Amino acid sequence: ELKEQHLTFEENQRGVCFDTLLGPYLKGAGKITITDPYIRLFFQARNLMELLETIGKQKAEEDEVTVHLITVRDEFKAPQQIDFFEKMRESCGPIGIHFTWDFDETHSMHARHIVTDHGWKILLDRGLDIFQHYEMNDTFVISNRLQRYRNCKAFEITYMRI
């Protein structure tokens, strides 16, 4: 049973993955809004893609889920950032995940959270950037393939009913 709670994770802790940390709270949602101003660089986009994979694992095959990202445009690499998002949209469309995004142009955005249309708000103090650096370009490193074998950064997460 899902419940409101606050969890704290320690530096270099292992065993954490989006599937168990976020998946149960996203399951059954028809619309998910992700607010994170720091989806700019490759590793940040990869974290987002891994979250989209978690959403894909949680949804029934016949279900459609809309995932909307609100982030900040990268001042120097916006074309690359948009290319990442376009690739995510193309990749997720055939499995029933409709991915869209908007750029917050106020330049004041800081908070990071996920809101679902079925009553949950998940506050992420670090956003999706919870993992220590790992070898993401080597297919044969297990931490590249499975999040639970990665070391975490210290972070906190709060689940609230809305």
Side-chain angles (χ1 to χ4, degrees), residues 18 21-22 34-39 47 51 110-114 122-131 155-157:
F18 290 163
L21 191 67
L22 300 170
I34 303 163
T35 302
D36 189 333
Y38 300 104
I39 308 293
N47 288 338
L51 177 60
H110 180 73
R112 292 161 221 153
H113 49 79
I114 299 171
I122 305 165
L123 305 172
L124 307 162
D125 74 327
R126 294 194 67 91
L128 301 177
D129 185 17
I130 63 171
F131 299 108
F155 73 97
E156 297 181 7
I157 186 168

Side-chain angles (χ1 to χ4, degrees), residues 8-41:
T8 302
F9 295 86
E10 297 178 15
E11 192 77 10
N12 294 318
Q13 183 174 334
R14 294 176 111 194
V16 177
C17 65
F18 290 163
D19 289 352
T20 56
L21 191 67
L22 300 170
Y25 289 87
L26 302 177
K27 187 175 185 173
K31 181 171 183 185
I32 299 167
T33 302
I34 303 163
T35 302
D36 189 333
Y38 300 104
I39 308 293
R40 302 174 187 180
L41 304 176

Side-chain angles (χ1 to χ4, degrees), residues 2-7 21-22 24-26 33 111-125 156-162:
L2 300 179
K3 61 183 179 180
E4 289 187 303
Q5 61 182 320
H6 178 81
L7 302 174
L21 191 67
L22 300 170
Y25 289 87
L26 302 177
T33 302
R112 292 161 221 153
H113 49 79
I114 299 171
V115 177
T116 70
D117 66 345
H118 67 335
W120 287 101
K121 183 172 187 174
I122 305 165
L123 305 172
L124 307 162
D125 74 327
E156 297 181 7
I157 186 168
T158 304
Y159 305 90
M160 297 172 30
R161 288 192 194 278
I162 53 171

